[in-house]
Amino acid sequence: MSKSNIFLVGPMGAGKSTIGRVLAAELNRQFCDTDRVIEDRTGADIPWIFDMEGEAGFREREAAVLSDLACEENLVVATGGGIVLLSENREVMKASGYVCYLTASTDQLVERTSRDKKRPLLQVDNPRKKIIELLEMRDPIYREAADFIINTDKRSPKMVSQEIIRLIEES
Ligand code: S3P
């Protein structure tokens, strides 16, 4: 397995998919989004998978998709916000590419996810509280997994992707 892939990790609303698409276009690479690959393979959307199989079932599907994508080369991969929870996933990403942690302020995360009904973990009375709780729990794990940490606040997807390219070139 060569280390040629780029994995974008971080919380829901960090901009992984939008930035990933721009980054892939800049680098002339293929873009993949683990959530979309899971949905294509399952033939169902993520809320349905959570309903029928629980979060545990979703995590199994997510790990299987990640390990397949990690066998390919030169991909830009936007991952689901919880992908770092499994240590195997962190190892798979490290072994097959660069891991970029996209951060954003809580206000930005709340704003960017506020109109979304497709994220089961945020269908609660107080999504802001949930975002804060998830971040408190996951931020150390994202940091441990990451080769680079990039703030996305008040920056265009193009600016963020150029920073990622620079960080990889300088590494
Ligand atoms: C999740 C994030 C979602 C999706 C699922 C669970 C999480 O992906 O994988 O709803 O645990 O944070 P995005 O980060 O792309 O929204």
Side-chain angles (χ1 to χ4, degrees):
M1 198 185 281
S2 75
K3 252 181 94 74
S4 68
N5 295 313
I6 300 173
F7 297 95
L8 305 181
V9 303
M12 295 178 265
K16 292 163 294 193
S17 304
T18 310
I19 291 163
R21 264 191 215 95
V22 172
L23 178 62
E26 296 259 325
L27 292 169
N28 205 13
R29 291 185 183 209
Q30 192 186 332
F31 170 71
C32 289
D33 182 322
T34 55
D35 286 341
R36 299 293 83 76
V37 179
I38 294 166
E39 291 184 330
D40 289 347
R41 281 193 186 178
T42 314
D45 67 7
I46 290 179
W48 187 93
I49 300 171
F50 267 73
D51 270 358
M52 300 305 288
E53 302 179 351
E55 183 172 345
F58 172 78
R59 296 291 169 216
E60 270 181 37
R61 291 183 182 274
E62 186 174 52
V65 163
L66 180 68
S67 85
D68 288 350
L69 294 178
C71 293
E72 299 192 31
E73 294 196 349
N74 297 313
L75 297 180
V76 173
V77 183
T79 63
I83 208 143
V84 295
L85 295 174
L86 276 186
S87 64
E88 300 95 277
N89 290 348
R90 303 198 293 272
E91 282 158 26
V92 160
M93 291 190 287
K94 269 242 146 70
S96 106
Y98 292 100
V99 182
C100 304
Y101 172 19
L102 303 185
T103 66
S105 66
T106 303
D107 284 346
Q108 281 282 300
L109 298 176
V110 172
E111 161 64 23
R112 291 182 195 155
T113 56
S114 61
R115 282 165 293 278
D116 185 275
K117 295 275 166 274
K118 294 264 177 185
R119 291 177 166 110
L121 296 178
L122 298 184
Q123 307 314 304
V124 292
D125 289 342
N126 189 342
R128 167 180 282 269
K129 187 164 165 259
K130 184 70 184 181
I131 284 171
I132 293 169
E133 280 168 12
L134 287 173
L135 207 49
E136 272 174 6
M137 201 271 258
R138 293 176 178 177
D139 175 73
I141 315 180
Y142 292 131
R143 285 176 189 278
E144 191 225 292
D147 295 297
F148 309 119
I149 301 172
I150 303 114
N151 190 291
T152 65
D153 284 324
K154 302 197 184 100
R155 300 168 77 200
S156 69
K158 181 149 180 150
M159 283 166 71
V160 174
S161 67
Q162 281 167 350
E163 182 175 351
I164 294 172
I165 293 168
R166 185 181 57 76
L167 288 165
I168 291 176
E169 278 171 1
E170 286 173 1
S171 71

